[in-house]
């Protein structure tokens, strides 16, 4: 009995000691001794400490304090550690290639260690000293699993093929991760799209968004309803947890208030889905543009007859109605320096070359001369609103003469004044180019367009206000640009150049845009 009670008391004593050690395992003291912070060390990124104190979580510059206690890191052997989790579409090929390219350019030797089917780790070692610099973990499953791992503090960055869902953002806020809807919490690394695919044997060339929605909701169930054979339509989508399946389900809701039919065949991989559709003349599926395999991609048609083909250009300009930007989401906490350096590299021209080689659409800015915009001009003449005069069309053509259209457009979130996610990314891309001097002494025009709903004069005024707002946002994002060498102006042509049918809601959204024209060199 005595021995038993002694053992219990000893265990309680050790538990109390360990609890105290964990609760206050570091003390940070300013170098002059005037300030002292005690608490539980949550992390150290090579520069800053994150400490949970009685005052809340504090971030403290490591250069200004001395750390004492059992939780203090070894500053001479610091290894940056961070983990990506999320979409297989991004994690299997794109991010590994970017990590390897970053390592090669930064003087690190790189080793990939496979853990299991969904986990692997990159070890980065300084080639000059042989010291380990970083351990970068990956868990490659689905977008939904990535956000779940972030909420569980099992990941630092989320790989996502869709915007964060409202319920995910709410849970993240409640968990102290920050507002994931804040533009500063996400970064677009590349562009992809939801491609509507069929077998190469299919005679179908395009569908309207309404038809796509009704097909996948099961309301159109036989090919004969689309002018094909009398046979049932076989529907193929990714698993429900995948980002593209969730993005498409959301698009169905937005388009027609519909949900995918129960008869949909679900796939665990994009390649498996594309192969299944390509081999079945009666099948139709939704796959990433980057992974269509041997299947054929359909165009999206408008009710007025205008057609939106899926290609690199229509993705860069946001003229295709089913985009799939590839995001990295970050929490509202400081990441290790090497992680921040990697994210900065991922948007660089060198990294975007890697993006293109990986089969995705990169973010690099291209220019389309007027001579290559014949279809746009033909559409302007054929589909311009009835209030658009010949004089206005001639004024627009004259303004376009000698210019190039940059392959970025700016659009606003539905029903709001905030730029959508791709457009916010475009602000940064264009601002970086301006700061680098790419448009010094070269006229740059922000051109507003509208849909055809309402009076043409009012639409033109609204289009101009949007163009001014985008111009101001870009210039604000380029504080180091040489203003004396910039020649920036604003123009608006309202409903004079529609890119899609105004009869369709998605067409009106595409038509409401700001383009950027640059004088040809």
């Amino acid at each position: 009995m005595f021995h038993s009670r002694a053992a219990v008391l000893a265990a309680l004593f050790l538990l109390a000691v360990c609890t105290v050690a964990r609760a206050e395992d570091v003390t940070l003291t300013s170098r002059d001794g005037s300030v002292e912070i005690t608490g539980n060390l949550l992390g150290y990124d090579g520069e800053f400490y994150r400490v949970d104190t009685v005052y809340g979580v504090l971030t403290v510059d490591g250069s200004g304090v001395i750390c004492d206690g059992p939780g203090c890191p070894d500053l001479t052997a610091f290894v940056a550690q961070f983990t990506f989790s999320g979409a297989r579409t991004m994690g299997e090929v794109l991010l590994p290639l970017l990590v390897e390219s970053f390592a090669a350019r930064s003087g690190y030797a790189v080793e990939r260690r496979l853990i299991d089917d969904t986990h692997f780790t990159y070890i980065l070692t300084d080639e000059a000293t042989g010291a380990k610099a970083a351990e970068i973990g990956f868990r490659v499953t689905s977008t939904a699993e990535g956000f779940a791992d972030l909420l569980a503090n099992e990941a630092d960055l989320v790989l996502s093929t869709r915007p964060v869902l409202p319920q995910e953002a709410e849970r993240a806020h409640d968990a102290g991760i920050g507002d994931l809807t804040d533009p500063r919490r996400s970064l677009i690394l590349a562009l992809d799209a939801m491609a509507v695919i069929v077998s190469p044997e299919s005679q179908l060339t395009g569908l309207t968004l309404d038809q796509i929605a009704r097909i996948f909701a099961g309301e159109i169930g036989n090919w004969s309803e689309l002018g094909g054979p009398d046979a049932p339509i076989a529907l193929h989508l990714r698993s429900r947890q995948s980002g593209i399946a969730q993005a498409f389900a959301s698009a169905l809701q937005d388009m027609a208030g519909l949900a995918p039919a129960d008869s949909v065949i679900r796939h665990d991989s994009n390649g498996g889905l594309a192969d299944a559709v390509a081999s079945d003349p009666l099948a139709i599926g939704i796959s990433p543009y980057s992974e269509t395999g041997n299947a054929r991609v359909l165009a999206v048609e408008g009710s007025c007859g205008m057609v939106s083909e899926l290609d690199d250009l229509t993705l860069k300009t946001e003229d295709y109605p089913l985009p799939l930007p590839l995001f990295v989401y970050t929490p509202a906490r400081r990441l290790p320096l090497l992680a921040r350096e990697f994210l900065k590299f991922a948007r660089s021209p060198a990294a975007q070359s890697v993006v293109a080689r990986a089969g995705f659409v990169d973010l690099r800015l291209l220019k389309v001369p007027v001579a290559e915009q014949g279809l746009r001009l033909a559409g302007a003449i054929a589909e311009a609103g009835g209030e658009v005069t010949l004089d206005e069309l001639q004024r627009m053509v004259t303004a376009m003469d000698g210019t190039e259209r940059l392959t970025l457009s700016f659009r606003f979130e539905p029903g709001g004044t905030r730029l959508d996610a791709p457009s916010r990314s475009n602000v940064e891309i264009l601002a970086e180019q301006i700061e680098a001097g790419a448009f010094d002494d070269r006229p740059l025009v922000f051109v507003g367009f509208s849909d055809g709903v309402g009076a043409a004069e009012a639409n033109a005024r609204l289009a101009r206000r949007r163009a001014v707002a985008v111009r101001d946002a870009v210039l604000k994002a380029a504080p180091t640009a040489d203003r004396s060498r910039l020649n920036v102006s604003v123009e608006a042509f309202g409903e004079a150049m529609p890119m899609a049918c105004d009869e369709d809601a998605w067409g009106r959204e595409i038509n409401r845009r700001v383009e950027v024209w640059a004088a040809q060199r």
Side-chain angles (χ1 to χ4, degrees), residues 31-93:
R31 296 192 177 275
D32 63 4
S34 61
V35 178
E36 187 177 277
I37 299 172
T38 299
N40 179 31
L41 182 67
L42 299 178
Y44 175 69
D45 65 4
E47 295 180 294
F48 287 78
Y49 296 95
R50 288 183 66 246
V51 183
D52 188 3
T53 75
V54 294
Y55 307 106
V57 177
L58 302 179
T59 300
V60 182
D61 188 344
S63 65
V65 296
I66 298 171
C67 185
D68 183 50
C72 291
D74 183 351
L75 303 186
T76 62
F78 173 75
V79 176
Q81 294 180 315
F82 54 97
T83 300
F84 290 94
S85 179
R88 188 177 296 273
T89 298
M90 300 173 66
E92 283 190 330
V93 177

Side-chain angles (χ1 to χ4, degrees), residues 310-384:
L310 174 54
D311 56 35
D312 291 10
L313 180 61
T314 58
L315 267 186
K316 282 178 177 283
T317 57
E318 290 190 75
D319 293 337
Y320 180 73
L322 295 172
L324 198 70
L326 304 184
F327 296 91
V328 171
Y329 276 87
T330 62
R333 63 171 181 259
R334 199 174 172 84
L335 294 170
L337 176 60
L338 190 140
R340 303 198 304 273
E341 290 174 339
F342 169 76
L343 292 178
K344 182 178 180 180
F345 163 78
R347 295 280 294 237
S348 69
Q352 288 302 305
S353 296
V354 175
V355 167
R357 291 200 302 272
F360 298 92
V361 177
D362 63 81
L363 303 176
R364 288 176 296 186
L365 196 59
L366 302 178
K367 307 171 186 68
V368 184
V370 172
E372 297 177 21
Q373 300 184 53
L375 289 178
R376 271 162 49 85
L377 291 172
I381 295 170
E383 301 295 337

Side-chain angles (χ1 to χ4, degrees), residues 39 125 159 220 239 246 250 501-502:
T125 304
L159 305 177
I220 298 176
S239 59
Q246 293 174 340
S250 176
C501 302
D502 268 334

Side-chain angles (χ1 to χ4, degrees), residues 409-428:
S409 297
F410 300 89
R411 291 182 172 85
F412 295 82
E413 293 179 348
T417 59
R418 189 169 79 160
L419 289 169
D420 63 18
S423 297
R424 294 195 296 268
S425 177
N426 287 340
V427 167
E428 296 176 10

